Amino acid sequence: MNNTIAIVGRPNVGKSTLFNRLIEAKEAIVESVSGVTRDRIYGKSDWNGYEFSVIDTGGYVHGSEDTFEDEIRKQVLFAIDEADAIIFVVDAKEGINPLDEDVAKLLRRSKKDIFTAANKIDTPDKSNEVIEFYSLGLGEVYPISAVNGTGTGEILDDIVKIFTEKVLVDEETDLPRIAFVGRPNVGKSSIINTLLGDKRTIVTDIAGTTRDSIYTRYNAYGHDFMLVDTAGLRKKGKVYENIEFYSTLRTIRAIESSDVCVVMIDAQTGIEKQDISIFHLAAKNNKGIVVVVNKWDLIDKETNTHLEFEKHLRERIAPFTDVPIVFTSVKEKQRIFKTLELAADVFKRRAQKIKTSELNDFLLPIIENTPPPMGSRGRYIRIKYVMQIKVPTPMFIFFCNLPDDVKDSYSRFLENKMREKYNFTGVPIQIYFRLK
């Protein structure tokens, strides 16, 4: 699992600007108004060969200003709980604020590695302005400018020194991980309880009951998995409590560390925008996918009801539609074990390897009969060779003379041909074109 850095501090000190700098993107909203960042902010970064996750905790405040200090305290406590390293951002121009001191007290009591970043030092001659922050008792203070990047390299150099690969030593870590994901209250905990035959997780009809990801071993009927019950992903703008923000973060991390995601949809509400976002998040991370339409017993059915529902669902999740879909009722125990069988099949298909000679014998005649459209300046694109890369997920490299000129539509054409020949149902395929 990746190392994690959390960025903490009082509002309007530049946390979101630093976050954007670290992930090299413009994902966080940056405004000079306290509490602007109201949605979950989570991204990936790397430095000196180390990949890590970055959390921007800024502005997760809901309610009146009376709760402001308490909300900041919650942010820091959750960051302490979640992160391997914490960047404590302070405003060098304004100096020490009482809220800075409150945050520092919490951080001093933690056993985490703390790196104090005195922000808004835009020129070297102002670096002496950081001296007062040593009084916070958190060790080294790093003068930085989140806006132009000054000093961020130095702080990252020291942060990655503490990162080591976390080796999971328990015997179950090599088992396939099946994550049950979806919006709150779609039946994730209930389906796992049914599979396990006991009440290993709390189940209520209150959305968001499951706060953390729960790993449980399932070893029965020829299957041996780690089942992962995750906190429900809420719609954007609904993550008001800090605890919900970190539940969402843990869900994302559970998806990233899983092998197969069982994406659960509520049959009564139908497929919603958030369901599609969860599906694409799993696909983007190259996870095997099974779609479960739960609570099917509550639907009034006609002859073609499930066919029409499935057709609509595939239209909504396009372009990746080659996924197994199963209609379940946890309450009536309908097709629950079918879900697990499909997940096991997807896991096997995700790991399949195709011989290079077989790939070329199959694909090169197809490419010769249906060559890619001409590239720039009317040049012919010639694909000479294809091979599968030895990585955990299906990844194929096509070697050609003009890799940058191959259109996405042709890439999808090749993917469809491979799906017709080889069974990759439920498995995303990565296709890359490289210079021969």
Side-chain angles (χ1 to χ4, degrees), residues 392-408:
T393 60
M395 179 187 296
F396 300 91
I397 305 294
F398 289 76
F399 293 95
C400 62
N401 59 332
L402 300 170
D404 294 336
D405 289 0
V406 182
K407 294 179 171 58
D408 290 341

Side-chain angles (χ1 to χ4, degrees), residues 182-214:
R183 289 182 288 114
N185 205 29
V186 294
K188 299 183 296 298
S189 296
S190 297
I191 195 170
I192 290 180
N193 289 343
T194 302
L195 289 169
L196 297 173
D198 59 19
K199 298 293 183 182
R200 299 294 296 273
T201 58
I202 302 168
V203 180
T204 73
D205 58 0
I206 301 171
T209 301
T210 310
R211 297 295 193 183
D212 205 348
S213 300
I214 301 170

Side-chain angles (χ1 to χ4, degrees), residues 14 105 118 145 162 169-170 229 248 270 289 292 310 328 341 351 421:
K105 286 179 184 177
S145 170
I162 70 166
V169 295
D170 64 283
D229 181 17
T248 303
I289 299 175
V292 170
E310 181 175 328
T328 67
E341 291 171 4
K421 173 72 172 178

Side-chain angles (χ1 to χ4, degrees), residues 265 269-277 279-280 309-321:
I265 294 169
T269 59
I271 186 165
E272 296 185 353
K273 186 175 181 181
Q274 185 69 358
D275 298 316
I276 299 170
S277 297
F279 177 90
H280 288 314
F309 193 107
E310 181 175 328
K311 180 183 177 183
H312 177 65
L313 197 158
R314 292 190 190 279
E315 289 173 352
R316 296 290 303 279
I317 64 175
F320 180 36
T321 59

Side-chain angles (χ1 to χ4, degrees), residues 20-39:
N20 288 339
R21 169 68 56 183
L22 295 185
I23 69 167
E24 298 180 335
K26 293 288 185 182
E27 291 194 8
I29 302 168
V30 180
E31 293 287 349
S32 59
V33 178
S34 298
V36 166
T37 311
R38 293 191 178 276
D39 202 357

Side-chain angles (χ1 to χ4, degrees), residues 23-315:
I23 69 167
E24 298 180 335
K26 293 288 185 182
E27 291 194 8
I29 302 168
V30 180
E31 293 287 349
S32 59
V33 178
S34 298
V36 166
T37 311
R38 293 191 178 276
D39 202 357
R40 62 173 176 78
I41 302 293
Y42 167 80
K44 288 291 189 66
S45 184
D46 63 88
W47 186 259
N48 289 349
Y50 290 89
E51 186 177 87
F52 49 88
S53 301
V54 187
I55 311 166
D56 178 7
T57 63
Y60 298 98
V61 178
H62 177 64
S64 67
E65 292 182 3
D66 296 337
T67 65
F68 205 64
E69 293 182 26
D70 185 50
E71 291 293 338
I72 294 172
R73 181 175 179 276
K74 287 180 184 177
Q75 293 168 25
V76 176
L77 290 175
F78 277 111
I80 288 170
D81 184 50
E82 280 290 318
D84 301 292
I86 296 171
I87 299 178
F88 174 31
V89 184
V90 293
D91 189 327
K93 286 186 178 180
E94 291 189 11
I96 293 178
N97 180 288
L99 280 177
D100 294 329
E101 295 175 338
D102 292 341
V103 173
K105 286 179 184 177
L106 294 172
L107 294 176
R108 281 198 301 270
R109 289 198 291 266
S110 76
K111 296 181 180 180
K112 295 297 175 74
D113 292 282
I114 313 297
F115 299 83
T116 303
N119 191 26
K120 305 182 184 179
I121 302 293
D122 301 320
T123 56
D125 60 294
K126 294 183 179 180
S127 57
N128 60 345
E129 295 180 9
V130 310
I131 294 174
E132 66 172 308
F133 293 101
Y134 281 92
S135 66
L136 295 173
L138 294 170
E140 184 71 22
V141 179
Y142 298 82
I144 72 163
S145 170
V147 171
N148 61 36
T150 303
T152 54
E154 286 76 5
I155 194 170
L156 286 173
D157 283 341
D158 287 347
I159 289 175
V160 298
K161 288 176 184 176
I162 70 166
F163 286 164
T164 56
E165 290 296 323
K166 293 189 275 298
V167 180
L168 300 175
V169 295
D170 64 283
E171 62 179 2
E172 299 169 355
T173 53
D174 289 335
L175 296 175
R177 291 177 182 257
I178 313 297
F180 288 75
V181 298
R183 289 182 288 114
N185 205 29
V186 294
K188 299 183 296 298
S189 296
S190 297
I191 195 170
I192 290 180
N193 289 343
T194 302
L195 289 169
L196 297 173
D198 59 19
K199 298 293 183 182
R200 299 294 296 273
T201 58
I202 302 168
V203 180
T204 73
D205 58 0
I206 301 171
T209 301
T210 310
R211 297 295 193 183
D212 205 348
S213 300
I214 301 170
Y215 289 75
T216 309
R217 186 170 184 174
Y218 177 88
N219 188 0
Y221 304 105
H223 297 303
D224 198 1
F225 294 133
M226 293 299 290
L227 303 182
V228 189
D229 181 17
T230 59
L233 276 168
R234 291 186 176 278
K235 293 181 181 179
K236 285 191 173 185
K238 297 293 184 183
V239 188
Y240 291 141
E241 299 176 76
N242 285 284
I243 194 167
E244 293 292 356
F245 161 64
Y246 283 99
S247 292
T248 303
L249 170 63
R250 288 164 182 162
T251 300
I252 295 169
R253 290 166 71 174
I255 289 174
E256 291 177 338
S257 62
S258 70
D259 299 300
V260 177
C261 291
V262 176
V263 179
M264 298 190 66
I265 294 169
D266 190 321
Q268 288 182 293
T269 59
I271 186 165
E272 296 185 353
K273 186 175 181 181
Q274 185 69 358
D275 298 316
I276 299 170
S277 297
I278 296 168
F279 177 90
H280 288 314
L281 179 63
K284 185 179 179 182
N285 281 277
N286 299 305
K287 306 303 178 183
I289 299 175
V290 175
V291 176
V292 170
V293 182
N294 192 31
K295 306 182 185 179
W296 194 242
D297 57 306
L298 302 179
I299 300 298
D300 294 328
K301 303 173 190 67
E302 297 179 2
T303 305
N304 295 321
T305 302
H306 83 281
L307 294 176
E308 293 172 358
F309 193 107
E310 181 175 328
K311 180 183 177 183
H312 177 65
L313 197 158
R314 292 190 190 279
E315 289 173 352

